[in-house]
Coordinates of all heavy atoms in Angstrom, one line a residue:
Chain S
I1420 N 9.8 6.5 -1.3 CA 9.8 5.0 -1.6 C 11.2 4.5 -1.2 O 11.3 3.5 -0.5 CB 9.6 4.8 -3.1 CG1 8.2 5.1 -3.4 CG2 9.9 3.3 -3.4 CD1 7.9 5.1 -4.9
A1428 N 15.1 -2.0 5.6 CA 16.3 -2.9 5.6 C 17.0 -2.8 6.9 O 17.5 -3.8 7.5 CB 17.2 -2.5 4.5
G1439 N 19.8 -5.4 17.3 CA 18.6 -4.6 17.7 C 18.1 -4.9 19.1 O 17.1 -4.4 19.5
G1446 N 18.5 -10.6 32.2 CA 18.3 -11.3 31.0 C 17.2 -10.7 30.1 O 16.9 -11.3 29.1
I1449 N 16.0 -5.4 25.6 CA 15.0 -4.4 25.1 C 15.3 -4.2 23.6 O 16.4 -4.4 23.1 CB 15.1 -3.1 25.8 CG1 16.5 -2.5 25.6 CG2 14.8 -3.2 27.3 CD1 16.6 -1.1 26.1
M1452 N 14.3 -2.3 17.4 CA 13.9 -2.6 16.0 C 12.8 -1.7 15.4 O 12.7 -1.6 14.2 CB 13.5 -4.1 15.9 CG 14.6 -5.0 15.8 SD 14.0 -6.7 15.8 CE 13.3 -6.8 14.2
G1468 N 6.4 5.7 7.5 CA 6.5 5.1 8.8 C 5.7 3.8 8.8 O 6.1 2.8 9.3
F1475 N 8.9 -4.4 9.2 CA 9.4 -4.8 10.5 C 8.4 -6.0 10.9 O 8.9 -7.0 11.4 CB 9.3 -3.6 11.5 CG 9.4 -4.0 12.9 CD1 10.2 -5.0 13.4 CD2 8.8 -3.2 13.8 CE1 10.3 -5.3 14.7 CE2 8.9 -3.5 15.2 CZ 9.6 -4.5 15.6
S1479 N 9.3 -9.9 11.6 CA 9.2 -10.5 12.9 C 8.3 -11.7 12.9 O 8.5 -12.7 13.6 CB 8.8 -9.4 14.0 OG 7.6 -9.6 14.5
T1488 N 13.6 -18.0 19.4 CA 14.7 -18.0 20.4 C 14.1 -18.1 21.8 O 14.9 -18.1 22.7 CB 15.6 -16.8 20.3 OG1 14.8 -15.6 20.2 CG2 16.5 -16.9 19.1
P1504 N 0.0 -4.6 15.0 CA 0.4 -3.4 15.9 C 1.5 -2.6 15.3 O 1.6 -1.4 15.5 CB 0.9 -4.2 17.2 CG 0.2 -5.5 17.1 CD 0.2 -5.9 15.7
A1515 N 2.4 12.6 16.9 CA 3.0 13.2 18.0 C 4.0 14.3 17.6 O 4.1 15.4 18.1 CB 3.7 12.2 18.9
R1523 N 0.2 25.7 15.2 CA -1.1 26.2 14.7 C -2.1 25.0 14.6 O -3.3 25.1 14.8 CB -0.9 26.9 13.4 CG -0.9 28.4 13.6 CD -0.6 29.0 12.2 NE 0.7 28.5 11.7 CZ 1.0 28.6 10.4 NH1 0.2 29.1 9.5 NH2 2.2 28.1 10.0
L1527 N -5.9 20.8 16.8 CA -6.7 19.7 16.2 C -6.1 18.3 16.6 O -6.8 17.4 17.0 CB -6.7 19.8 14.7 CG -7.4 18.8 13.9 CD1 -8.9 18.9 14.0 CD2 -6.9 18.8 12.5
L1533 N -6.5 13.4 22.7 CA -7.4 13.3 23.9 C -8.6 12.4 23.6 O -9.0 11.6 24.4 CB -7.9 14.7 24.2 CG -6.9 15.6 24.9 CD1 -7.4 17.0 25.1 CD2 -6.4 14.9 26.2
L1534 N -9.1 12.4 22.3 CA -10.2 11.6 21.9 C -9.8 10.1 22.0 O -10.5 9.2 22.5 CB -10.5 11.9 20.4 CG -11.9 11.5 20.0 CD1 -13.0 12.4 20.6 CD2 -12.0 11.6 18.5
T1546 N -16.0 -2.5 27.8 CA -15.9 -3.8 27.3 C -16.3 -4.9 28.3 O -15.7 -4.9 29.4 CB -14.5 -4.1 26.8 OG1 -14.1 -3.0 26.0 CG2 -14.4 -5.4 25.9
V1559 N -5.3 -1.0 30.2 CA -5.9 -0.1 29.3 C -5.8 1.3 29.8 O -5.5 2.3 29.1 CB -7.3 -0.6 29.0 CG1 -8.0 0.4 28.0 CG2 -7.4 -2.0 28.4
A1565 N -1.0 7.2 29.6 CA 0.2 7.5 28.9 C 0.0 8.5 27.7 O 0.7 9.5 27.5 CB 0.9 6.3 28.4
L1574 N 1.5 19.6 24.5 CA 1.0 21.0 24.7 C 2.0 21.9 25.4 O 2.3 23.0 24.9 CB -0.3 20.9 25.5 CG -1.0 22.2 25.7 CD1 -1.6 22.7 24.4 CD2 -2.1 22.1 26.8
T1587 N 10.9 15.4 18.0 CA 11.4 14.0 17.7 C 11.4 13.1 18.9 O 11.0 12.0 18.8 CB 12.9 14.1 17.1 OG1 12.9 15.1 16.1 CG2 13.4 12.8 16.7
V1636 N 13.3 5.0 26.8 CA 14.5 5.7 27.0 C 15.4 5.5 25.8 O 16.0 6.4 25.2 CB 15.2 5.3 28.3 CG1 16.6 5.9 28.4 CG2 14.3 5.6 29.5

Side-chain angles (χ1 to χ4, degrees):
Chain S
I1420 292 171
I1449 59 167
M1452 279 175 74
F1475 168 34
S1479 114
T1488 47
R1523 264 173 302 161
L1527 178 73
L1533 286 175
L1534 203 70
T1546 312
V1559 179
L1574 183 69
T1587 306
V1636 174

